Amino acid sequence: DAKTTQPPSMDCAEGRAANLPCNHSTISGNEYVYWYRQIHSQGPQYIIHGLKNNETNEMASLIITEDRKSSTLILPHATLRDTAVYYCIVRVGAAGNKLTFGGGTRVLVKP
Amino acid sequence: EAQVTQNPRYLITVTGKKLTVTCSQNMNHEYMSWYRQDPGLGLRQIYYSMNVEVTDKGDVPEGYKVSRKEKRNFPLILESPSPNQTSLYFCASSLQAGTYYEQYFGPGTRLTVT
């Protein structure tokens, strides 16, 4: 699985959009970008994934650059409950379902 | 409600006393897995199961056993717990293995071995 780089932390104002960057410059053509989050010591929660097109669901949007070397997770209207560690993971779909979490970005949503 | 449940949520035990952490999912998922999470080491896979009666080692299987007799249950067994198994444990499930289905995680079991 390709290595990912995320900023260790960021703050966001409640009600504003939170933009979380992820660098994955060594991504290969068959690797997907996944985002999970973990709210303090709870089980990780799936957010969204994509291959090359931008994706949106009820939780977030995922923007992947054309060269696929980086992506951005967008939480459109951050709430206090979005305070969590966000993990960007790049993996091949057929590699089995093991998830390898890196350091992630610790997001603090402030009132 | 679709969910993965784990029991117990918290457990303090002594070295050598066998214990079992249960995991159950109600989503008819084929794939189930156990992870442990330790500060600075991230989430590491212990064992996984592709389907009933099919289990395999993950990255850190030493000291653990699992079984998958039914599709919904995937218990984690520590035959002789040691202090280095003090950790936060998560069970996860996914619709199928080998594809890009998302994983659903349980709430976690915090284990302390003294």
Side-chain angles (χ1 to χ4, degrees):
Chain A
D1 297 342
K3 180 178 166 56
T4 61
T5 303
Q6 300 176 251
S9 64
M10 63 182 294
D11 293 345
C12 176
E14 186 179 21
R16 304 292 296 270
N19 296 289
L20 283 63
C22 180
N23 183 287
H24 33 79
S25 58
T26 61
I27 192 171
S28 59
N30 61 348
E31 289 184 308
Y32 288 76
V33 181
Y34 289 77
W35 284 84
Y36 280 76
R37 73 180 182 183
Q38 187 173 22
I39 298 170
H40 181 64
S41 293
Q42 295 181 20
Q45 178 188 22
Y46 166 82
I47 301 173
I48 199 167
H49 75 277
L51 183 61
K52 49 186 175 183
N53 297 323
N54 297 338
E55 303 286 345
T56 294
N57 63 20
E58 64 278 4
M59 288 183 67
S61 295
L62 174 61
I63 309 297
I64 303 174
T65 58
E66 194 168 339
D67 63 6
R68 303 211 320 125
K69 293 182 185 299
S70 66
S71 60
T72 301
L73 178 74
I74 301 172
L75 307 177
H77 305 286
T79 71
L80 300 180
R81 287 177 294 180
D82 291 322
T83 292
V85 179
Y86 288 77
Y87 296 98
C88 170
I89 300 160
V90 172
R91 59 186 291 275
V92 177
N97 285 38
K98 181 176 71 172
L99 291 175
T100 303
F101 288 68
T105 297
R106 190 172 297 274
V107 173
L108 177 61
V109 180
K110 296 182 175 180
Chain B
E1 181 190 353
Q3 60 182 345
V4 178
T5 57
Q6 297 178 227
N7 282 292
R9 296 288 315 280
Y10 301 90
L11 179 61
I12 301 174
T13 190
V14 296
T15 299
K17 185 176 181 182
K18 181 179 178 180
L19 66 92
T20 299
V21 183
T22 65
C23 172
S24 182
Q25 50 90 7
N26 62 0
M27 296 169 280
N28 202 35
H29 284 175
E30 289 186 353
Y31 181 94
M32 296 186 75
S33 178
W34 277 102
Y35 294 85
R36 61 177 288 176
Q37 187 172 34
D38 303 287
L41 296 176
L43 216 62
R44 294 178 293 169
Q45 190 181 53
I46 304 170
Y47 268 94
Y48 64 94
S49 170
M50 307 280 267
N51 213 325
V52 176
E53 302 291 2
V54 181
T55 63
D56 210 345
K57 297 177 181 178
D59 295 323
V60 288
E62 294 76 24
Y64 305 95
K65 285 176 58 177
V66 293
S67 68
R68 187 93 181 273
K69 295 185 172 61
E70 307 166 278
K71 200 170 189 178
R72 64 182 293 130
N73 296 322
F74 190 46
L76 179 69
I77 303 157
L78 284 72
E79 294 270 1
S80 182
S82 62
N84 65 10
Q85 293 178 296
T86 292
S87 186
L88 179 58
Y89 291 86
F90 292 105
C91 180
S93 73
S94 183
L95 183 61
Q96 289 179 351
T99 60
Y100 43 78
Y101 292 105
E102 62 266 31
Q103 290 196 34
Y104 294 81
F105 284 79
T109 295
R110 188 169 292 280
L111 172 66
T112 302
V113 183
T114 61

